[in-house]
Amino acid sequence: MNKDRGVIKWTAMMLPEHVKLLREWQEEDALVIQPELDEAQLEQINENLQRAYSEASPIQLKVWEQTGIYTITGIIQKVNVHEQYVKLTDNRKILFHNIYEAILDD
């Protein structure tokens, strides 16, 4: 049976600069591209945010960050239009442009 060490055996022959570039490339590859929303999706998010805020009902937000897309559930405490963020009751601030889906928890 061939016990191949894979990439490990080749890293000894690589320059440190090459190893650094490969690591950076792997990190960039793990980044998630921000999804683009059309007007209908933006309108739906806006309606759901307004309804959740006015009724103080729980909302599930799908939020984009460079490392991935996360689901955050909470109740909206404040909507700041000037600074363009939503503040939840647990004091988390979520920027409008990072929200790509808002689902009301009925």
Side-chain angles (χ1 to χ4, degrees), residues 22-49:
L22 282 173
R23 287 190 180 131
E24 289 174 2
W25 179 56
Q26 286 177 334
E27 289 173 6
E28 287 176 8
D29 203 30
L31 298 179
V32 177
I33 297 172
Q34 184 173 15
E36 292 194 27
L37 304 173
D38 61 17
E39 289 297 320
Q41 291 170 316
L42 290 171
E43 186 63 32
Q44 184 66 40
I45 291 170
N46 185 32
E47 288 175 14
N48 288 346
L49 288 174

Short mmCIF file of all heavy atoms in Angstrom, two decimals, residues 22-49:
data_model
loop_
_atom_site.label_atom_id
_atom_site.label_comp_id
_atom_site.label_asym_id
_atom_site.label_seq_id
_atom_site.Cartn_x
_atom_site.Cartn_y
_atom_site.Cartn_z
N LEU A 22 -0.32 30.49 -1.30
CA LEU A 22 -1.29 29.40 -1.33
C LEU A 22 -2.28 29.51 -0.16
O LEU A 22 -3.48 29.28 -0.33
CB LEU A 22 -0.59 28.05 -1.30
CG LEU A 22 0.01 27.58 -2.62
CD1 LEU A 22 0.82 26.32 -2.43
CD2 LEU A 22 -1.08 27.36 -3.65
N ARG A 23 -1.78 29.86 1.02
CA ARG A 23 -2.67 30.02 2.18
C ARG A 23 -3.64 31.17 1.97
O ARG A 23 -4.82 31.07 2.28
CB ARG A 23 -1.85 30.22 3.44
CG ARG A 23 -1.19 28.94 3.89
CD ARG A 23 -0.58 29.06 5.26
NE ARG A 23 0.03 27.80 5.64
CZ ARG A 23 1.25 27.68 6.12
NH1 ARG A 23 1.98 28.75 6.34
NH2 ARG A 23 1.73 26.48 6.42
N GLU A 24 -3.13 32.30 1.44
CA GLU A 24 -4.01 33.44 1.15
C GLU A 24 -5.07 33.05 0.12
O GLU A 24 -6.22 33.45 0.21
CB GLU A 24 -3.19 34.62 0.66
CG GLU A 24 -2.36 35.28 1.73
CD GLU A 24 -1.45 36.36 1.19
OE1 GLU A 24 -1.49 36.64 -0.04
OE2 GLU A 24 -0.69 36.93 1.99
N TRP A 25 -4.65 32.30 -0.88
CA TRP A 25 -5.58 31.86 -1.93
C TRP A 25 -6.68 30.99 -1.34
O TRP A 25 -7.85 31.12 -1.68
CB TRP A 25 -4.81 31.13 -3.01
CG TRP A 25 -5.64 30.60 -4.13
CD1 TRP A 25 -6.50 31.31 -4.93
CD2 TRP A 25 -5.71 29.25 -4.57
NE1 TRP A 25 -7.08 30.49 -5.85
CE2 TRP A 25 -6.62 29.20 -5.65
CE3 TRP A 25 -5.09 28.09 -4.17
CZ2 TRP A 25 -6.91 28.03 -6.31
CZ3 TRP A 25 -5.38 26.93 -4.85
CH2 TRP A 25 -6.29 26.91 -5.90
N GLN A 26 -6.32 30.08 -0.42
CA GLN A 26 -7.31 29.23 0.22
C GLN A 26 -8.28 30.06 1.06
O GLN A 26 -9.47 29.79 1.10
CB GLN A 26 -6.64 28.18 1.11
CG GLN A 26 -5.99 27.08 0.33
CD GLN A 26 -5.26 26.09 1.22
OE1 GLN A 26 -4.84 26.44 2.31
NE2 GLN A 26 -5.10 24.87 0.74
N GLU A 27 -7.78 31.09 1.76
CA GLU A 27 -8.65 31.96 2.55
C GLU A 27 -9.62 32.73 1.66
O GLU A 27 -10.79 32.87 1.98
CB GLU A 27 -7.81 32.93 3.38
CG GLU A 27 -7.07 32.27 4.52
CD GLU A 27 -6.12 33.22 5.23
OE1 GLU A 27 -6.10 34.42 4.91
OE2 GLU A 27 -5.38 32.75 6.11
N GLU A 28 -9.12 33.25 0.54
CA GLU A 28 -9.98 33.97 -0.40
C GLU A 28 -11.04 33.05 -0.99
O GLU A 28 -12.16 33.45 -1.23
CB GLU A 28 -9.16 34.59 -1.52
CG GLU A 28 -8.34 35.78 -1.11
CD GLU A 28 -7.47 36.29 -2.25
OE1 GLU A 28 -7.63 35.81 -3.40
OE2 GLU A 28 -6.62 37.15 -1.99
N ASP A 29 -10.65 31.81 -1.22
CA ASP A 29 -11.58 30.84 -1.80
C ASP A 29 -12.73 30.54 -0.85
O ASP A 29 -13.82 30.19 -1.27
CB ASP A 29 -10.83 29.56 -2.16
CG ASP A 29 -11.53 28.75 -3.21
OD1 ASP A 29 -12.23 29.35 -4.05
OD2 ASP A 29 -11.40 27.51 -3.20
N ALA A 30 -12.48 30.68 0.45
CA ALA A 30 -13.52 30.40 1.45
C ALA A 30 -14.50 31.56 1.61
O ALA A 30 -15.56 31.40 2.21
CB ALA A 30 -12.86 30.09 2.79
N LEU A 31 -14.17 32.74 1.08
CA LEU A 31 -15.05 33.89 1.20
C LEU A 31 -16.31 33.69 0.37
O LEU A 31 -16.28 33.08 -0.69
CB LEU A 31 -14.34 35.17 0.76
CG LEU A 31 -13.11 35.57 1.57
CD1 LEU A 31 -12.51 36.85 1.01
CD2 LEU A 31 -13.44 35.74 3.03
N VAL A 32 -17.42 34.22 0.87
CA VAL A 32 -18.71 34.09 0.20
C VAL A 32 -19.05 35.42 -0.47
O VAL A 32 -18.98 36.47 0.17
CB VAL A 32 -19.81 33.70 1.21
CG1 VAL A 32 -21.16 33.64 0.55
CG2 VAL A 32 -19.47 32.38 1.86
N ILE A 33 -19.43 35.36 -1.72
CA ILE A 33 -19.80 36.57 -2.46
C ILE A 33 -21.20 37.01 -2.02
O ILE A 33 -22.10 36.19 -1.88
CB ILE A 33 -19.77 36.32 -3.98
CG1 ILE A 33 -18.35 35.97 -4.40
CG2 ILE A 33 -20.28 37.52 -4.75
CD1 ILE A 33 -18.22 35.52 -5.83
N GLN A 34 -21.35 38.32 -1.81
CA GLN A 34 -22.64 38.84 -1.37
C GLN A 34 -23.68 38.67 -2.48
O GLN A 34 -23.48 39.06 -3.62
CB GLN A 34 -22.52 40.32 -1.02
CG GLN A 34 -23.80 40.89 -0.46
CD GLN A 34 -23.62 42.31 0.05
OE1 GLN A 34 -22.64 42.97 -0.25
NE2 GLN A 34 -24.57 42.77 0.81
N PRO A 35 -24.82 38.04 -2.13
CA PRO A 35 -25.86 37.86 -3.14
C PRO A 35 -26.51 39.19 -3.51
O PRO A 35 -26.67 40.06 -2.67
CB PRO A 35 -26.88 36.94 -2.45
CG PRO A 35 -26.55 36.98 -1.01
CD PRO A 35 -25.16 37.45 -0.85
N GLU A 36 -26.82 39.34 -4.79
CA GLU A 36 -27.49 40.56 -5.25
C GLU A 36 -28.99 40.33 -5.24
O GLU A 36 -29.48 39.28 -5.63
CB GLU A 36 -27.01 40.91 -6.66
CG GLU A 36 -25.55 41.33 -6.68
CD GLU A 36 -25.17 41.99 -7.99
OE1 GLU A 36 -26.05 42.58 -8.65
OE2 GLU A 36 -23.99 41.91 -8.33
N LEU A 37 -29.72 41.34 -4.77
CA LEU A 37 -31.16 41.25 -4.64
C LEU A 37 -31.84 42.12 -5.69
O LEU A 37 -31.35 43.19 -6.02
CB LEU A 37 -31.59 41.69 -3.24
CG LEU A 37 -30.95 40.94 -2.07
CD1 LEU A 37 -31.33 41.59 -0.76
CD2 LEU A 37 -31.35 39.49 -2.09
N ASP A 38 -32.98 41.65 -6.18
CA ASP A 38 -33.75 42.48 -7.12
C ASP A 38 -34.73 43.34 -6.32
O ASP A 38 -34.83 43.25 -5.10
CB ASP A 38 -34.44 41.62 -8.18
CG ASP A 38 -35.44 40.64 -7.58
OD1 ASP A 38 -35.85 40.81 -6.42
OD2 ASP A 38 -35.82 39.70 -8.29
N GLU A 39 -35.46 44.19 -7.02
CA GLU A 39 -36.38 45.13 -6.37
C GLU A 39 -37.47 44.43 -5.57
O GLU A 39 -37.84 44.87 -4.49
CB GLU A 39 -37.01 46.06 -7.42
CG GLU A 39 -36.04 47.06 -8.00
CD GLU A 39 -35.51 48.04 -6.97
OE1 GLU A 39 -36.29 48.49 -6.10
OE2 GLU A 39 -34.31 48.34 -7.03
N ALA A 40 -38.00 43.33 -6.09
CA ALA A 40 -39.07 42.61 -5.39
C ALA A 40 -38.56 42.04 -4.07
O ALA A 40 -39.26 42.10 -3.05
CB ALA A 40 -39.62 41.50 -6.28
N GLN A 41 -37.36 41.50 -4.06
CA GLN A 41 -36.79 40.95 -2.83
C GLN A 41 -36.52 42.05 -1.81
O GLN A 41 -36.79 41.88 -0.62
CB GLN A 41 -35.49 40.20 -3.14
CG GLN A 41 -35.71 38.91 -3.91
CD GLN A 41 -34.40 38.32 -4.40
OE1 GLN A 41 -33.54 39.04 -4.90
NE2 GLN A 41 -34.25 37.01 -4.25
N LEU A 42 -36.01 43.18 -2.28
CA LEU A 42 -35.76 44.31 -1.38
C LEU A 42 -37.06 44.82 -0.78
O LEU A 42 -37.12 45.15 0.41
CB LEU A 42 -35.03 45.44 -2.13
CG LEU A 42 -33.59 45.16 -2.51
CD1 LEU A 42 -33.07 46.26 -3.42
CD2 LEU A 42 -32.71 45.02 -1.28
N GLU A 43 -38.11 44.89 -1.58
CA GLU A 43 -39.42 45.33 -1.09
C GLU A 43 -39.97 44.36 -0.05
O GLU A 43 -40.51 44.78 0.98
CB GLU A 43 -40.39 45.48 -2.26
CG GLU A 43 -41.72 46.08 -1.88
CD GLU A 43 -41.62 47.50 -1.36
OE1 GLU A 43 -40.73 48.25 -1.80
OE2 GLU A 43 -42.44 47.85 -0.48
N GLN A 44 -39.81 43.07 -0.29
CA GLN A 44 -40.29 42.06 0.67
C GLN A 44 -39.54 42.17 1.99
O GLN A 44 -40.14 42.09 3.06
CB GLN A 44 -40.13 40.66 0.07
CG GLN A 44 -40.68 39.57 0.94
CD GLN A 44 -42.19 39.65 1.07
OE1 GLN A 44 -42.89 39.93 0.11
NE2 GLN A 44 -42.70 39.42 2.26
N ILE A 45 -38.24 42.37 1.93
CA ILE A 45 -37.44 42.54 3.14
C ILE A 45 -37.91 43.77 3.90
O ILE A 45 -38.10 43.74 5.12
CB ILE A 45 -35.94 42.63 2.80
CG1 ILE A 45 -35.42 41.29 2.30
CG2 ILE A 45 -35.12 43.11 4.00
CD1 ILE A 45 -34.03 41.33 1.73
N ASN A 46 -38.11 44.87 3.18
CA ASN A 46 -38.57 46.12 3.78
C ASN A 46 -39.91 45.94 4.48
O ASN A 46 -40.10 46.37 5.62
CB ASN A 46 -38.64 47.21 2.72
CG ASN A 46 -38.99 48.55 3.30
OD1 ASN A 46 -38.64 48.86 4.43
ND2 ASN A 46 -39.70 49.35 2.53
N GLU A 47 -40.85 45.30 3.82
CA GLU A 47 -42.18 45.07 4.40
C GLU A 47 -42.09 44.21 5.66
O GLU A 47 -42.73 44.51 6.67
CB GLU A 47 -43.11 44.40 3.38
CG GLU A 47 -43.55 45.30 2.27
CD GLU A 47 -44.38 44.57 1.21
OE1 GLU A 47 -44.82 43.43 1.48
OE2 GLU A 47 -44.57 45.14 0.14
N ASN A 48 -41.31 43.14 5.60
CA ASN A 48 -41.17 42.26 6.75
C ASN A 48 -40.49 42.95 7.93
O ASN A 48 -40.87 42.76 9.09
CB ASN A 48 -40.44 40.98 6.38
CG ASN A 48 -41.28 40.06 5.53
OD1 ASN A 48 -42.49 40.23 5.41
ND2 ASN A 48 -40.65 39.09 4.91
N LEU A 49 -39.46 43.78 7.65
CA LEU A 49 -38.80 44.52 8.71
C LEU A 49 -39.76 45.51 9.37
O LEU A 49 -39.81 45.62 10.60
CB LEU A 49 -37.57 45.25 8.18
CG LEU A 49 -36.36 44.41 7.81
CD1 LEU A 49 -35.29 45.28 7.17
CD2 LEU A 49 -35.81 43.70 9.03
#
